[in-house]
């Protein structure tokens, strides 16, 4: 699962970039689990991606996972219900529900979901420092498969010397 243990935006940005990389570069068959609902827009712009979710039956605050997979994103998050199923104390669950209600109430209609996969609005051309261009040329000139271990070590020292 990608993005766990990070800040919200940090993890969301990382999960989006990894999903894009896997789709565009690796083209591997991947089960990509994430808790970022924003990523459900991914298949709209990435032809080989699909969303699926585990079916859930709800009764009030109770849920039962039905062990069935359906197409499309889940209609909502079940984090608090899953925490209750995992045995979290009732007081913790109640506080989480109250906090969630407060957070959802603070969210205004003016806030729109971030489109992680839209083209950047503007990209500034940045001139690379001379040392970076020089290092890139030196690295590109290397043929690692043609180097002996000693030559490879000498190349590393030469690059290190270039950096200063």
């Amino acid at each position: 699962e990608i993005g766990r243990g990070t800040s919200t935006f940090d993890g969301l940005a990382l999960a989006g970039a990894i999903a894009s990389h896997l789709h565009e570069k690796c083209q591997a068959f991947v089960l990509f689990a994430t808790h970022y609902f924003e990523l459900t827009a991914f298949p709209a712009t990435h032809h080989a991606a699909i969303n699926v979710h585990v079916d859930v039956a709800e009764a009030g605050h109770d849920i039962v996972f039905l062990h069935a997979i359906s197409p499309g994103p889940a209609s909502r998050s079940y984090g608090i219900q899953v925490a209750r199923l995992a045995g979290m104390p009732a007081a913790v669950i109640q506080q989480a529900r109250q906090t969630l209600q407060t957070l959802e109430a603070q969210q205004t209609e003016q806030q729109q979901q971030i489109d992680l996969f839209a083209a950047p609005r503007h990209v500034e051309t940045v001139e690379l420092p001379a040392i970076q261009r020089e290092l890139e040329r030196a690295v590109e000139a290397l043929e690692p498969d043609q180097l002996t271990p000693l030559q490879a070590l000498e190349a590393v020292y030469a690059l290190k010397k270039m950096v200063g």
Side-chain angles (χ1 to χ4, degrees):
E1 185 170 351
I2 305 298
R4 294 298 248 192
T6 63
S7 71
T8 299
F9 291 142
D10 200 28
L12 181 56
L14 184 60
I18 291 171
S20 291
H21 180 80
L22 289 170
H23 183 274
E24 301 302 321
K25 303 293 184 206
C26 298
Q27 299 178 347
F29 187 76
V30 176
L31 176 61
F32 192 92
T34 182
H35 61 286
Y36 296 114
F37 190 78
E38 292 84 351
L39 291 179
T40 61
F42 189 80
T45 55
H46 296 80
H47 70 283
I50 61 169
N51 277 327
V52 295
H53 66 276
V54 176
D55 287 335
V56 174
E58 294 182 70
H61 291 303
D62 293 330
I63 62 169
V64 175
F65 289 101
L66 301 177
H67 303 282
I69 304 295
S70 292
S75 61
R76 56 175 296 217
S77 173
Y78 297 101
I80 293 174
Q81 291 92 330
V82 170
R84 188 188 64 72
L85 289 173
M88 285 288 132
V92 171
I93 299 302
Q94 183 58 32
Q95 181 180 349
R97 283 191 181 120
Q98 290 171 348
T99 302
L100 178 61
Q101 287 175 349
T102 301
L103 291 170
E104 288 175 340
Q106 290 174 353
Q107 192 175 31
T108 65
E109 290 180 13
Q110 298 167 343
Q111 291 177 320
Q112 295 188 8
Q113 183 171 313
I114 298 167
D115 186 352
L116 293 175
F117 310 109
R121 293 180 190 205
H122 63 84
V123 177
E124 296 179 21
T125 303
V126 178
E127 183 62 29
L128 297 175
I131 184 66
Q132 188 171 347
R133 287 192 311 269
E134 188 179 340
L135 282 169
E136 286 179 355
R137 282 193 295 270
V139 170
E140 287 173 3
L142 291 174
E143 295 291 338
D145 293 334
Q146 304 302 318
L147 299 175
T148 66
L150 181 57
Q151 289 170 327
L153 183 60
E154 288 171 346
V156 169
Y157 281 124
L159 292 171
K160 187 171 178 174
K161 185 175 181 181
M162 289 172 69
V163 173

